[in-house]
Structure formats: C-alpha cells, structure tokens
Amino acid sequence: MSETEKKGWFARFRSRGTPASEPPRAAEPPPAEEPPKPTEPAQPIEPPTPVETQPLPASAIEARAETPISPPPGEAPVDRHEPRAHVAVETEGTVEKRGWLGRLRDGLSKSAKKVTAGITELFTESIPGIFTKKKLDQATLGELEDVLIQADLGVTVAARLIAKLGKERFGKEVTDEEVREAFAEDIAEILQPVARPLTIDAAHKPHVVLVIGVNGSGKTTTIAKLAHLYKGEGRTVMLAAGDTFRAAAVEQLKVWGERAGVPVVAKQTGADAAGLAYEALEKARAERCDVLLIDTAGRLHNKSNLMDELAKIVRVIRKLDVSAPHSCLLVLDATVGQNAHAQVETFKAMSPVDALVVTKLDGSAKGGVLVALAEKFKLPVVAVGVGEGIDDLQPFEAKVFARSLMGLPT
Ligand SMILES: Nc1nc2c(ncn2[C@@H]2O[C@H](COP(=O)(O)OP(=O)(O)O)[C@@H](O)[C@H]2O)c(=O)[nH]1
Ligand SMILES: [Mg+2]
C-alpha cells in the first residue's frame, strides 16, 4: 500500500467524530420487525442458516433468510451498541489512529481468543496457568496445525505456516508467544498483497461501484459506510437502490442515504434493477458525481435469476459507460466461515468481482477465513466491517490484522 493511500484512510478516519459527519449511534437503523438485539453480540448477528453450511455455491446464494433490517420511518431508534469508551476518549491525531486500531482489535477479539486459546493450551503444563517453553516436535506441529484449521485459516495456509515454523524452529524450545509471533509474521506476508484500499478514479464521473453478495452479508450497510467515508473526503456520492426484490431493502437504503447525507435513486419494490441502475448512472453523470454506489439483491427466486439480474445490470450500465462498473465489490459475512469460499466462486462466475469487503468480524470467531481467502483468491480486501454503525468500516492492513488475529499488540 502506498503512503498516500494509507494517509487517505487515516484522513478519512480523522474526519470522523464531528456531529455533521457522524450521526449519533442511537439514530442507526433498528431492525423493522425484530426486537432490539442484545448489547452483547455473543451470537453472530445473522447466524447462517443450515443450508448455508452446505458447500454448494447455489445454496450459498439461496440460503439467506429474509432479514428484516430496515427501520420503518419514524420508529423510535434503538441503540444496539455497547458503549465504546476508547472511541469516546480518542479524538485526535495519533490517539485517533489508536482508536481505529483498537476497534479492529476489538472486532477481531473473538477470532483471536479462539486461536490464541488453542495455541496457549498446547503450551500449558498440567498446572493451569503455568506457561512453559516446549520443544517443537512433530506432535506439537500437528496440534498447532489443527488449531489453525479450526480457526478457519484453511488447510493450505495452516500447512504453509506449520512448514515454515518447523523449518525454522524444529527441535528447539519455543514459547506460545514466539509461535504466535512467527504465525503473525507469515500471515501478514500472505495478506500484504491483498491489503489494498478501494481507489476512486477521479477520471470517472462517476466512478461506479457495484456491490454484490448474498442477502444479509452486509451490502447495504457497507454502502452506507462507504458513502459516509467518501462524503467525509469531500466527494459527491450517489446511491442506487438496486435491491428491488425485498420490500424493506429500498427503504433501508433511503434511511442510510439520509443519515449519510447523500441522494438515493430508488424505485418501488419489484422494479427492474437494471433499469434503475441505468437511471441512477444517467443522473450521476448529469450531476458529475464522483462516486455511484449500486446496491443489488442478494437473493432472487433462484440462482439463475440472480445471475441474469447482475449480468443485466452490468450490460445496461455499460451502454452509458463501457468501462463501468469500475469496481465490483463482493461483500462477505465473516460469520459464515469456510462457506465464504463458495460464495466467492459463485459470484466470480456471475460478475466481474475485483475486490472484497469482509463484514461482521466483530461478531465472528471466524476472522481467520480472511487469510484463507487471501491465499486462495488473491482478491484485494478493500475494507473490513467491524460493527453496524456508519463508521464501523476499517481499513484492512495486513500486519495489524495478522497481529490482532494472533492476539498480539499492534
Ligand atoms: N456486527 C456487524 N453487523 C453488521 C456488519 N455489517 C452489516 N451488519 C448487519 O448485518 C445485517 C445485514 O446487513 P445488510 O447491509 O442489510 O445486508 P445486505 O442484505 O447484504 O444488504 C444488518 O443487521 C447489519 O446491521 C458488521 O460489520 N458488523
Ligand atoms: Mg441490502
């Protein structure tokens, strides 16, 4: 990542915290028909349905249950967030930087706990709490490999990490922390090439971002977060409510648009999504907008309907701009774990996916899946979602992520 790109992220995060750019948490959209969620997100926000655990790409698309997520206009807002003291006190300069690092670390804490507990356990003598050095033998390597696989890093990554550790330390006395340090270094190496922020090309007016993914993965929320981010950078943003399939979806985007202070092009439920995208692009071009974010349905009657719809959206917007979409973001919910692989395969076959956003890292112990995805698909991870709020989108930084995942200070 270049220094300027990095600064871009920091600048965006620095621009937060002003009442104008950040709506109060209490004003975030509550679910339409759900009771308020408990403040402790002990369960994944949207637990995958049993069908979703099937490794079939088709099921991956169809599996999401309809989730009522849009707040009916006028309904009393519900604050579903825990107080985050570190955010409240960290407002400026380097302190602010620690703020987002802290939030990423917090977001990854469930995943980190899982992996560090697994590793630490191997290094604990029979008296609990006494950690010792241990001679790195074949059995320990095998057990460490299991821990990595269970933490969703995948078989390939686990094998790679273990091979490297074995090569460097076999037969030597090591501590659990040394092992975690070694793993973090290797993981950062795997992640480095994919840690690339989404670059908005100013030559395009607008730069069209098509946002795709299964229902409930976090597309609409991510669009709101990106809109907020770009607006904070002084860019003009427009949203297209392309999920015309679900009744609440259009309304949900409109509410987010209002909160982010950006216009939303929308039609009624059931309208032609490609037609809507075309109109939105026409409008954004006429107004010389910098960014157009197009929301899409994640679930239609069947997989081929979804495929047709996405293909049609791409075809139709290319009538106006042959180079559009300039970015095609696939949004993945980290809580689905290994099923994310099938989703990438499926959506890659349907549309020109060129980057990933991984959401709900805060509600998941499966953050390790991001490493497996990076190793396998090598698609840039432009950002990660660590909460439901409009500013809960974090830059994806290889080293920070790797160290957080291994429960190490960043
Ligand atoms: N905890 C958490 N929840 C998220 C995150 N991103 C989205 N969500 C929630 O996931 C649910 C589905 O999100 P939504 O954007 O509507 O998904 P879509 O169907 O893909 O558009 C909503 O309740 C969001 O608040 C995240 O990063 N962390
Ligand atoms: Mg949506």
Side-chain angles (χ1 to χ4, degrees):
M1 186 191 303
S2 79
E3 205 45 45
T4 3
E5 283 166 337
K6 197 164 169 182
K7 262 194 217 119
W9 273 112
F10 293 148
R12 281 176 236 169
F13 284 91
R14 216 171 286 135
S15 72
R16 298 208 181 120
T18 56
S21 69
E22 182 173 10
R25 290 208 166 272
E28 283 162 17
E33 290 134 37
E34 275 179 356
K37 289 179 183 152
T39 47
E40 168 56 43
Q43 298 299 320
I45 302 297
E46 291 201 48
T49 61
V51 194
E52 226 165 17
T53 60
Q54 301 301 316
L56 290 172
S59 339
I61 300 301
E62 297 301 317
R64 281 276 168 204
E66 289 289 306
T67 316
I69 33 192
S70 166
E75 186 175 293
V78 179
D79 189 348
R80 284 172 284 146
H81 296 267
E82 287 183 85
R84 292 186 228 187
H86 60 283
V87 176
V89 293
E90 293 166 1
T91 49
E92 278 179 30
T94 53
V95 187
E96 170 99 345
K97 188 182 161 199
R98 215 174 51 225
W100 74 254
L101 285 177
R103 295 170 84 172
L104 182 65
R105 255 200 320 269
D106 287 356
L108 272 174
S109 63
K110 280 193 184 177
S111 304
K113 256 180 221 150
K114 188 169 172 187
V115 70
T116 56
I119 295 173
T120 305
E121 204 174 289
L122 297 176
F123 287 80
T124 307
E125 287 285 280
S126 49
I127 312 157
I130 305 289
F131 305 109
T132 58
K133 277 183 178 278
K134 189 170 178 173
K135 199 168 179 178
L136 198 62
D137 55 17
Q138 207 53 53
T140 311
L141 281 174
E143 285 168 322
L144 283 169
E145 189 166 8
D146 287 346
V147 170
L148 294 173
I149 293 169
Q150 275 159 31
D152 284 275
L153 282 100
V155 177
T156 317
V157 171
R160 174 171 161 176
L161 263 50
I162 293 301
K164 187 137 185 261
L165 185 70
K167 201 170 148 213
E168 286 167 4
R169 314 272 172 101
F170 193 81
K172 292 186 183 148
E173 298 274 324
V174 288
T175 65
D176 73 313
E177 201 177 329
E178 281 165 356
V179 169
R180 287 188 284 124
E181 285 280 355
F183 285 164
E185 215 169 278
D186 296 346
I187 290 171
E189 223 169 77
I190 295 171
L191 297 179
Q192 199 61 56
V194 304
R196 299 211 296 269
L198 183 65
T199 318
I200 298 299
D201 188 346
H204 301 300
K205 294 277 181 218
H207 181 109
V208 180
V209 185
L210 184 65
V211 182
I212 62 175
V214 301
N215 189 32
S217 60
K219 293 180 295 300
T220 306
T221 314
T222 300
I223 286 173
K225 292 168 177 177
L226 287 171
H228 174 65
L229 219 57
Y230 295 141
K231 185 140 192 271
E233 287 180 343
R235 300 182 203 265
T236 47
V237 183
M238 195 177 281
L239 310 182
D243 182 357
T244 53
F245 184 72
R246 290 189 316 123
V250 172
E251 214 46 52
Q252 184 196 7
L253 194 72
K254 279 189 190 164
V255 171
W256 275 123
E258 245 166 63
R259 302 244 152 88
V262 301
V264 179
V265 179
K267 284 186 173 179
Q268 72 287 3
T269 310
D272 177 44
L276 182 273
Y278 185 90
E279 277 176 36
L281 180 51
E282 252 184 344
K283 194 157 188 263
R285 275 162 72 107
E287 296 181 16
R288 295 204 48 80
C289 265
D290 296 316
V291 191
L292 172 66
L293 295 154
I294 304 176
D295 199 3
T296 60
R299 176 174 172 271
L300 295 176
H301 300 290
N302 57 50
K303 188 186 154 198
S304 79
N305 275 2
L306 177 60
M307 197 185 287
D308 290 349
E309 176 153 309
L310 292 178
K312 193 171 164 196
I313 292 175
V314 171
R315 211 168 49 238
V316 160
I317 57 177
R318 281 184 181 160
K319 287 186 181 167
L320 287 173
D321 182 345
V322 283
S323 62
H326 307 106
S327 306
C328 180
L329 294 187
L330 173 60
V331 178
L332 297 170
D333 169 352
T335 62
V336 306
Q338 292 305 303
N339 191 257
H341 289 265
Q343 293 183 11
V344 178
E345 302 274 14
T346 307
F347 278 92
K348 260 173 62 128
M350 287 188 202
S351 31
V353 177
D354 53 22
L356 305 177
V357 173
V358 181
T359 65
K360 307 189 197 178
L361 284 170
D362 53 309
S364 170
K366 300 179 175 178
V369 72
L370 210 155
V371 188
L373 293 171
E375 192 278 332
K376 185 165 174 194
F377 297 104
K378 315 220 170 354
L379 283 165
V381 179
V382 295
V384 291
V386 291
E388 294 176 278
I390 203 157
D391 58 354
D392 287 329
L393 191 75
Q394 304 290 318
F396 180 66
E397 292 207 4
K399 197 172 164 198
V400 172
F401 188 94
R403 291 188 66 79
S404 301
L405 188 63
M406 285 294 143
L408 296 165
T410 43

